[in-house]
Amino acid sequence: MNREAIANLLNRKSCRQFTEEQIDAEKLDIILQCGIHAPTGRNAQSALIVAVQDKATRDTLSRLNALGGDHDPFYGAPTVVIVLGLKNGCTPFEDGCLIMGNMLNAAYACGLGGCFIHRARQMFETEEGKALLQDWGITEEVFGIGCLILGNIRGELHPDLERKADYIRIIR
């Protein structure tokens, strides 16, 4: 048994406090590689991953994700990784969620903070979101699954929270 891998899975927490410093390119590459090695239905790989480190684009994505609010739903994280599902894919939503999970665990293993941010579907249903996809050369019919925010952790991650008593049911 790989106890280090198990400890990583048991200790990972979502992070919502980041430094302004951009993450290391090598760590980003490791995280993305872990994403593309996530299991997918029939190995169809029916998702796309877009990593954004350009501040202006990151800020545009934050505004789109805020849905008219005046807050930063990306909590100041300098990197945003978007997972998109191919509309004609085998199991694109499920594949994308597994990709997000792999990348979250990889970020923690790399000593980075990360958090799954929702509303990616709504972001890319807007005309501005569609224009971004076109600018990025994405011509396939896609939908947003999620945004993974990444950055160097500022402060401490919150302590482990108790798990609910009836979370697991074993039927034997």
Side-chain angles (χ1 to χ4, degrees):
M1 177 182 330
N2 185 330
R3 294 192 188 284
E4 186 177 340
I6 298 299
N8 187 67
L9 293 169
L10 294 175
N11 293 314
R12 190 212 62 80
K13 312 259 184 314
S14 292
C15 178
R16 293 176 183 86
Q17 295 183 335
F18 302 92
T19 68
E20 293 180 13
E21 178 187 0
Q22 189 54 264
I23 66 172
D24 174 289
E26 181 182 11
K27 289 180 180 179
L28 177 60
D29 186 55
I30 289 167
I31 293 163
L32 297 172
Q33 288 300 311
C34 288
I36 66 172
H37 284 86
T40 62
R42 295 188 312 188
N43 195 29
Q45 303 172 34
S46 58
L48 295 174
I49 303 169
V50 178
V52 175
Q53 292 190 305
D54 171 69
K55 183 164 176 20
T57 306
R58 178 253 180 247
D59 290 348
T60 297
L61 292 169
S62 173
R63 183 176 46 74
L64 287 173
N65 191 276
L67 300 176
D70 62 355
H71 65 289
D72 177 12
F74 297 154
Y75 302 96
T79 298
V80 178
V81 179
I82 304 145
V83 177
L84 303 162
L86 299 175
K87 286 186 178 178
N88 65 351
C90 173
T91 52
F93 179 75
E94 294 82 354
D95 295 352
C97 289
L98 286 166
I99 289 167
M100 292 287 292
N102 260 27
M103 291 191 301
L104 276 166
N105 287 317
Y108 183 76
C110 289
L112 297 174
C115 189
F116 189 133
I117 304 296
H118 298 278
R119 295 188 300 272
R121 180 182 297 264
Q122 294 90 328
M123 290 168 58
F124 294 102
E125 287 175 343
T126 68
E127 290 307 313
E128 193 172 1
K130 291 174 187 174
L132 283 173
L133 294 174
Q134 187 174 22
D135 289 347
W136 299 338
I138 297 173
T139 58
E140 299 92 342
E141 288 288 319
V142 297
F143 63 96
I145 294 172
C147 298
L148 169 61
I149 57 173
L150 295 170
N152 294 293
I153 301 166
R154 181 171 47 87
E156 299 287 322
L157 294 176
H158 62 77
D160 198 18
L161 301 174
E162 235 3 82
R163 300 294 177 224
K164 61 184 183 180
D166 63 346
Y167 216 155
I168 299 172
R169 312 262 168 105
I170 299 175
I171 313 301
R172 294 193 170 128

